Amino acid sequence: MAPRLRTVALVAGAALLTRRALRRRIGTSPLWPLPALEEPVSGRGRGATATRRALVTERTSPAEGVVRLRLEGTDLPPWEPGAHLDLVLPSGLVRQYSLCGDPAESGTYTVAARLIEDGRGGSREVHEQLHEGTEIEIRGPRNRFALVRSAAYLFVAGGIGITPVLPMLRAAEAAGADWRLVYCGRSRASMPFLDEIEKLGADGGRVTVVAEDESGLPDLAFLAGTPEETAVYCCGPNGLMDAVTRLLPEGRRPHLERFAPGAQEGGGPFEVELRRTGRTVRVAEGQSVLAAVRAEVRDVSYSCEQGFCGTCQQRVLAGEIDHRDELLTDGEREDSMLICVSRCHGGRLVLDL
């Protein structure tokens, strides 16, 4: 056999033996067969929405402490009532704001933001840095608060929670549906879009305005008698949404839109095994899974850190999940979690990471 052919034969034989040995090693591994999919979930779902540029072309103040921004851009996707945008702020913070304009206006989005004095900084950045002529990155829109088809609606909104509800009121009115709104706020001066809303409901007294400085907290006892065919929507402070959920007839669930991060309280420490990397991290009480994981895996995908955008979604291979997000569907909750807010029932989770 010629030297060249002999060399080729030896190399091919060595490669064949290596492949066989590797298959035997994989086959006897305690991690085989791997339960993970070929690609991780993180960043491939709702959080993977393309980023676009938009220009702030108008800035107004529809109420005390509230700014409304008109954003214009090219090839902006259409949207329906209940949808929201991710705003990528100049600092890199990502915050979610409901669209409150007219879906029929192509090339334009409108959002409104209330200044939260003791917040995490996003609303202050919107108020102080986003002015006419400012260009900003946006993602979306996405809609987890869609308006279902119904002959009758009951809307309950608190403060800035009116923003996703406003386009719903217009749509319900245009469709000729029977609708009613209870709109709550600290004072009339702090309640955005109040004039437009009262005009919409001028016929038939369909709008009830509850200003706390005039009449105290709203009396929601009437919810117990809500007809079964009425679709109930609520957006506002957590206390208001919890009250609406509690007071509805047994078995009824309202459509809710939350823009407050899931609480980390109420869960003790636990361990998270990162199956792909072979590491195990300890999640302390009050610490997010994301924070603990990032100490070991620096490039893990995340964005809003509030359980809204879905970028940090990870597949769970073992363990019982304590879901604290408002995004995942029931099907997604069976085997995945948002690691920025959700935790563990028990002492251990195994992630496909």
Side-chain angles (χ1 to χ4, degrees):
M1 183 182 294
R4 178 182 293 273
L5 292 177
R6 185 180 298 111
T7 300
V8 171
L10 289 173
V11 171
L16 178 61
L17 292 174
T18 299
R19 285 196 298 271
R20 288 176 177 173
L22 182 60
R23 281 198 295 268
R24 286 196 300 271
R25 184 173 181 180
I26 290 174
T28 58
S29 169
L31 297 181
W32 184 261
L34 284 174
L37 297 184
E38 292 182 0
E39 297 180 29
V41 170
S42 179
R44 298 196 299 119
R46 302 171 181 83
T49 305
T51 298
R52 295 176 172 83
R53 306 292 297 183
L55 184 69
V56 179
T57 59
E58 183 180 281
R59 172 180 164 132
T60 58
S61 180
E64 290 179 355
V66 177
V67 295
R68 173 173 49 191
L69 303 176
R70 179 184 176 94
L71 309 173
E72 295 185 10
T74 57
D75 299 324
L76 298 183
W79 61 280
E80 295 181 348
H84 70 271
L85 279 181
D86 293 346
L87 267 58
V88 184
L89 302 177
S91 68
L93 288 175
V94 179
R95 293 294 182 264
Q96 290 70 37
Y97 295 98
S98 295
L99 289 163
C100 55
D102 184 352
E105 292 187 7
S106 61
T108 298
Y109 292 150
T110 301
V111 297
R114 181 182 299 282
L115 178 62
I116 309 298
E117 294 288 353
D118 57 350
R120 303 169 69 231
S123 67
R124 181 167 297 281
E125 192 168 349
V126 170
H127 277 246
E128 294 181 354
Q129 298 193 35
L130 300 189
H131 300 278
E132 293 180 9
T134 302
E135 191 176 48
I136 188 172
E137 290 186 358
I138 60 174
R139 299 173 186 162
R142 294 190 291 270
N143 198 340
R144 57 163 186 255
F145 194 46
L147 186 66
V148 300
R149 189 184 299 272
S150 179
Y153 299 94
L154 171 61
F155 302 101
V156 182
I160 198 63
I162 194 64
T163 50
V165 172
L166 181 56
M168 294 182 178
L169 298 179
R170 301 186 189 117
E173 179 69 11
D178 179 21
W179 63 269
R180 181 181 175 191
L181 168 68
V182 178
Y183 184 16
C184 315
R186 294 191 303 272
S187 65
R188 287 178 173 267
S190 70
M191 300 167 71
F193 314 117
L194 186 56
D195 289 345
E196 178 184 352
I197 289 168
E198 289 186 318
K199 289 177 182 177
L200 273 174
D203 296 333
R206 289 176 291 180
V207 174
T208 300
V209 176
V210 183
E212 293 178 17
D213 63 347
E214 298 175 3
S215 52
L217 296 175
D219 182 0
L220 301 176
F222 72 91
L223 289 167
T226 304
E228 185 175 353
E229 65 273 12
T230 299
V232 180
Y233 282 77
C234 181
C235 184
N238 285 334
L240 177 65
M241 292 189 286
D242 292 342
V244 169
T245 303
R246 184 177 64 255
L247 293 171
L248 281 176
E250 185 175 357
R252 297 285 304 279
R253 290 186 62 84
H255 301 268
L256 302 176
E257 178 80 313
R258 295 183 187 270
F259 283 116
Q264 296 297 330
E265 293 81 4
F270 56 95
E271 290 185 344
V272 175
E273 177 188 341
L274 311 179
R275 178 61 57 87
R276 289 175 179 266
T277 60
R279 304 174 191 173
T280 297
V281 299
R282 181 79 170 170
V283 181
E285 182 175 358
Q287 181 186 30
S288 70
V289 176
L290 173 64
V293 168
R294 288 194 68 231
E296 294 290 334
V297 185
R298 300 297 301 174
D299 60 349
V300 65
S301 298
Y302 72 100
S303 183
C304 74
E305 298 184 77
Q306 300 182 77
F308 301 139
C309 71
T311 305
C312 69
Q313 182 179 350
Q314 294 290 340
R315 181 167 286 105
V316 179
L317 306 178
E320 185 178 357
I321 309 165
D322 176 9
H323 290 289
R324 302 189 179 193
D325 68 278
E326 295 291 331
L327 181 68
L328 299 184
T329 65
D330 290 342
E332 291 170 324
R333 286 169 184 262
E334 292 179 1
D335 64 355
S336 65
M337 67 184 291
L338 300 188
I339 63 173
C340 66
V341 292
S342 295
R343 298 182 67 78
C344 173
H345 286 305
R348 186 176 181 84
L349 288 174
V350 181
L351 299 184
D352 178 22
L353 184 65

